[in-house]
Amino acid sequence: MIIRDARPDEHAAVGELRVTAYRALGLLPAGSGYAEPLRALGFRGGDEVLVAADEAGNGILGTVTLEAFVPANELAKDDTEADIRAFAVIPSAQGHGVGRKLLAAVIERAEQRGVRRLRLCTRPEMEAAQHLYTTIGFSRTPELDFSPMPGVTLQAYELALPHTEQIGLP
């Protein structure tokens, strides 16, 4: 598996991977209205969309987006912070280290950009993701939790940078 930037010809496939992964977890019911924004996340100037690609050429296994600060960010407060968004791994690749490698890569990219704090949000039922975040060193910031719509609660996490050497990847 290699981690690289998403190519322009892969934007549609990356968007579909996100929708498929979120639906498999029960996080994106049909007709929720979030599918289209989820497909488009990160494909604007200033953001970086990374993919985990199968070296055998069998496609994209996962994706994550480093969202540069803009005033409309969900969590980042200024240009020393950035948000991690649209983190998704196809169901058949979950539990095989794809997510950990994607997070390590997005943390490294953030450090290269001079970001001092990464922020992300997750749903309470995403326990495997939360376990991954805390093992890498993210901590809960419940004061930043929010509800973007009735019945949906997002829990906030943050990671102070630099941090790459602490992740424990070869």
Side-chain angles (χ1 to χ4, degrees):
M1 164 182 30
I2 59 170
I3 308 296
R4 60 172 172 74
D5 292 311
R7 297 186 305 252
D9 66 325
E10 295 174 320
H11 290 187
V14 168
E16 285 309 309
L17 181 150
R18 293 171 180 165
V19 168
T20 298
Y22 279 51
R23 283 192 175 141
L25 293 171
L27 302 174
L28 190 64
S32 75
Y34 187 58
E36 287 311 310
L38 181 61
R39 285 183 177 101
L41 272 170
F43 297 120
R44 66 174 171 87
D47 296 341
E48 293 186 56
V49 178
L50 303 178
V51 297
D54 182 331
E55 290 184 63
N58 295 329
I60 299 171
L61 304 173
T63 184
V64 67
T65 299
L66 178 62
E67 187 175 69
F69 172 75
V70 293
N73 280 75
E74 286 185 336
L75 298 170
K77 304 292 185 216
D78 59 42
D79 62 5
T80 67
E81 300 182 351
D83 287 349
I84 293 175
R85 304 280 310 272
F87 179 38
V89 175
I90 61 172
S92 63
Q94 292 175 7
H96 298 286
V98 174
R100 181 174 290 275
K101 289 183 179 179
L102 280 166
L103 278 177
V106 81
I107 290 166
E108 183 177 341
R109 291 288 180 96
E111 288 178 338
Q112 290 169 356
R113 285 180 162 218
V115 172
R116 305 308 302 158
R117 185 168 314 280
L118 275 174
R119 297 189 182 276
L120 62 82
C121 53
T122 186
R123 301 265 300 265
E125 56 271 29
M126 297 176 73
E127 294 175 4
Q130 292 165 28
H131 176 75
L132 176 59
Y133 302 145
T134 57
T135 61
I136 285 178
F138 281 85
S139 58
R140 280 278 289 124
T141 51
E143 68 277 10
L144 298 177
D145 291 358
F146 67 100
S147 179
M149 64 179 56
V152 175
T153 299
L154 296 177
Q155 296 177 327
Y157 285 76
E158 71 177 18
L159 177 70
L161 300 177
H163 191 76
T164 304
E165 68 282 353
Q166 299 173 23
I167 295 174
L169 289 175

